Amino acid sequence: MKKNLSLEDFLLDLQDKGFKFEEDAIGFIYFGKRSTEASDQMVKAAIEITLKTQKSFDASFYVSLLETLIEHKIQTRYHALDYVRKIGLLA
């Protein structure tokens, strides 16, 4: 994951790699960002984890995951990945 990309550029990069987001998915991504006041870095981590665990973009999973990361005061991609491994979402 390219750390310095803006959220918009990150989404475009994923689309260039073959991930297709429906219009409502993009809306959910920005809804989650606004509702949790998450940083771009945390939103990108939540998207990455969602895609890795669900194999596609699952909007409700993403929003729930983002809320959980924010609730646990996780602020970096590294800590987000570590957290989901500890709770068994990722191997």
Side-chain angles (χ1 to χ4, degrees), residues 3 6-7 10 19-20 25 27 33 35-37 39 49-50 52-53 55-56 63 68 72 75 78 83 87 90:
K3 184 178 178 182
S6 68
L7 178 55
F10 175 74
F19 290 99
K20 301 296 179 205
K33 178 178 172 44
S35 68
T36 61
E37 298 181 2
S39 67
I49 293 164
T50 298
K52 284 181 176 180
T53 59
K55 307 302 182 214
S56 65
V63 171
T68 299
H72 286 87
Q75 297 180 6
Y78 173 83
Y83 174 77
I87 64 170
L90 284 177

Side-chain angles (χ1 to χ4, degrees), residues 35-47:
S35 68
T36 61
E37 298 181 2
S39 67
D40 279 6
Q41 182 179 13
M42 290 311 308
V43 171
K44 293 186 302 184
I47 294 167

Side-chain angles (χ1 to χ4, degrees), residues 2-18:
K2 297 176 183 173
K3 184 178 178 182
N4 297 325
L5 290 179
S6 68
L7 178 55
E8 182 178 354
D9 288 339
F10 175 74
L11 293 172
L12 290 172
D13 189 53
L14 284 175
Q15 288 179 334
D16 288 345
K17 292 177 179 175

